[in-house]
């Protein structure tokens, strides 16, 4: 069964899957993704290996809620998304802009209320906003409210029914958690393949606007993550991590080369798609950090 990410996600790994697949173990029964994001690697792993035990985690509880609702209430989500899609496709851009902000306000209201009976609606609105906001960006303000503007999309696919059903079926055996990545440590052992795709270290101060939770991921946090990766590597887990390459903007910046000096670091080409200035989008290097070659 083929499935792909049901949302567009900043830093999504669909374009790097070929390089990431080269790091997959030949046999995989246990998988963990502490920063699941859009899930490109997750769904690729689920399709290829059907692992017996899977744990995904993210600090963004609205994201994990959406995974959970697709897993448990997919039919209801599809029904609601179809209704929204029918409204959207029959309205003008100006009407859809007004509709977008109405739904954004409703989403933030549900987000604040935190009522379980509204979780399906919240997941539906999460997908709707993702498909119709600027660059599919998920960004919140200091109060935790989603504040990305409308993107003037004319005919977005708001309800990809076949893919949602495929995702739902693949997610049936997946355990889901909300919280700090360190909470995954007890799940990880020497039989686990772990893919770690944290918030990237910004290449510039303005790049920090891509933050998708109320908490920023600082250099101190990157160092703490490096310790975590070392610890689970010492447990015998196969580990692959991604991050930005500081040398794109400063050839003397050895932050990750030093932090992961005991790991294999590979630089791979990726396309930056989220800069508000289209002229500044283009090919850059990203890092793939692993202990895999040293184990085999």
């Amino acid at each position: 069964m083929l499935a792909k990410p049901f949302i567009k996600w900043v830093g999504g790994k669909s374009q790097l899957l070929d390089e990431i697949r080269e790091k997959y173990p030949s046999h995989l029964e246990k998988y963990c993704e502490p920063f699941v994001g859009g899930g490109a690697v997750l769904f690729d792993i689920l399709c290829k290996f059907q692992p017996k035990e899977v744990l995904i985690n993210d600090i963004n509880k609205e994201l994990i809620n959406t995974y959970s609702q697709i897993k448990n209430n997919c039919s209801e989500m599809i029904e609601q998304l179809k209704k929204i899609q029918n409204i959207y496709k029959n309205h003008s851009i100006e009407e859809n802009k007004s509709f977008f902000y109405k739904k954004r306000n409703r989403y933030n209201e549900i987000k604040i209320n935190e009522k379980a009976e509204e979780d399906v609606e919240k997941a539906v609105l999460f997908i709707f906003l993702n498909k119709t906001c600027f660059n599919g960006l998920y960004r919140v303000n200091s109060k935790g409210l989603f504040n990305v503007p409308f993107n003037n999309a004319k005919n977005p696919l708001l309800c990809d029914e076949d893919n949602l059903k495929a995702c739902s079926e693949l997610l049936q055996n997946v355990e889901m958690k909300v919280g700090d990545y360190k909470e995954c440590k007890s799940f990880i052992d020497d039989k686990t393949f772990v893919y770690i795709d944290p918030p990237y270290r910004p290449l510039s101060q303005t790049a920090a606007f891509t933050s998708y939770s109320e908490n920023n991921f600082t250099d101190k946090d990157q160092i703490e993550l490096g310790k975590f990766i070392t610890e689970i590597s010492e447990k015998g887990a196969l580990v692959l991590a991604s991050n930005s390459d500081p040398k794109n903007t400063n050839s003397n910046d050895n932050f990750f080369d030093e932090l992961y000096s005991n790991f294999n670091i590979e630089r791979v080409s990726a396309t930056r798609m989220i800069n508000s200035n289209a002229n500044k989008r283009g090919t850059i290097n990203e890092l793939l950090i692993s202990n895999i070659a040293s184990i085999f």
Side-chain angles (χ1 to χ4, degrees), residues 209-226:
F209 86 102
T210 60
S211 177
Y212 76 162
S213 74
E214 293 89 331
N215 306 298
N216 290 322
F217 208 78
T218 65
D219 278 2
K220 181 181 177 181
D221 295 313
Q222 296 286 358
I223 292 168
E224 285 298 309
L225 176 60

Side-chain angles (χ1 to χ4, degrees), residues 230 254-265 289-290:
T230 297
N254 297 310
F255 181 82
F256 286 121
D257 294 87
E258 294 174 357
L259 181 60
Y260 294 108
S261 60
N262 294 324
F263 290 82
N264 303 296
I265 300 176
I289 302 153
S290 72

Side-chain angles (χ1 to χ4, degrees), residues 28-285:
L28 197 162
E29 291 190 358
K30 193 171 181 181
Y31 178 67
C32 182
E33 197 163 335
F35 302 85
V36 69
V41 176
L42 168 70
F43 289 117
D44 197 53
I45 290 283
L46 295 177
C47 290
K48 290 180 180 296
F49 295 100
Q50 297 84 48
K52 295 178 181 178
E53 296 180 77
V54 182
L55 172 64
I56 61 172
N57 176 81
D58 205 280
I59 198 169
N60 186 323
K61 61 184 176 182
E62 281 67 45
L63 173 65
I64 294 297
N65 174 66
T66 306
Y67 276 97
S68 178
Q69 300 311 316
I70 289 173
K71 173 182 176 179
N72 298 309
N73 296 298
C74 188
S75 295
E76 187 176 352
M77 285 194 64
I78 288 171
E79 183 180 346
Q80 291 191 31
L81 281 167
K82 281 183 175 179
K83 290 179 181 178
I84 290 177
Q85 185 166 272
N86 287 333
I87 293 171
Y88 194 95
K89 73 178 183 180
N90 291 310
H91 282 175
S92 68
I93 286 291
E94 283 304 311
E95 288 172 322
N96 283 333
K97 182 176 181 179
S98 176
F99 185 66
F100 170 87
Y101 286 109
K102 178 181 177 181
K103 291 300 185 184
R104 193 180 77 171
N105 288 339
R106 174 59 181 159
Y107 173 79
N108 284 326
E109 178 185 324
I110 296 172
K111 192 174 185 292
I112 293 170
N113 289 341
E114 294 189 330
K115 295 179 180 178
E117 61 267 27
E118 296 176 331
D119 281 348
V120 172
E121 183 184 0
K122 182 166 63 171
V124 167
L125 292 178
F126 187 97
I127 292 177
F128 167 72
L129 293 171
N130 177 265
K131 302 287 187 179
T132 55
C133 74
F134 175 74
N135 276 340
L137 181 66
Y138 192 88
R139 184 188 62 197
V140 293
N141 61 23
S142 59
K143 296 180 180 179
L145 300 179
F146 182 80
N147 64 356
V148 184
F150 183 58
N151 75 346
N152 297 313
K154 291 184 178 180
N155 191 29
L157 180 58
L158 301 178
C159 183
D160 189 345
E161 182 173 357
D162 290 341
N163 187 59
L164 287 171
K165 288 179 177 178
C167 290
S168 180
E169 188 166 338
L170 287 171
L171 290 170
Q172 292 307 305
N173 191 40
V174 175
E175 180 184 354
M176 303 174 184
K177 286 187 176 182
V178 176
D180 189 277
Y181 64 89
K182 295 175 185 176
E183 298 301 314
C184 297
K185 188 184 296 186
S186 61
F187 175 86
I188 298 167
D189 57 22
D190 59 1
K191 298 179 179 64
T192 314
F193 176 54
V194 187
Y195 176 59
I196 295 177
D197 187 30
Y200 275 19
R201 186 173 187 248
L203 296 178
S204 65
Q205 288 300 312
T206 55
F209 86 102
T210 60
S211 177
Y212 76 162
S213 74
E214 293 89 331
N215 306 298
N216 290 322
F217 208 78
T218 65
D219 278 2
K220 181 181 177 181
D221 295 313
Q222 296 286 358
I223 292 168
E224 285 298 309
L225 176 60
K227 293 177 182 177
F228 174 81
I229 289 174
T230 297
E231 289 172 2
I232 61 174
S233 180
E234 289 173 349
K235 291 176 73 171
L238 301 179
V239 186
L240 175 64
S242 304
N243 219 306
S244 58
D245 183 2
K247 293 184 181 297
N248 284 301
T249 53
N250 182 357
S251 60
N252 295 316
D253 191 335
N254 297 310
F255 181 82
F256 286 121
D257 294 87
E258 294 174 357
L259 181 60
Y260 294 108
S261 60
N262 294 324
F263 290 82
N264 303 296
I265 300 176
E266 180 181 352
R267 286 173 163 84
V268 295
S269 295
T271 303
R272 177 190 290 178
M273 297 300 293
I274 63 166
N275 199 297
S276 58
N277 183 345
N279 294 325
K280 293 185 179 180
R281 300 173 190 172
T283 300
I284 59 172
N285 283 336

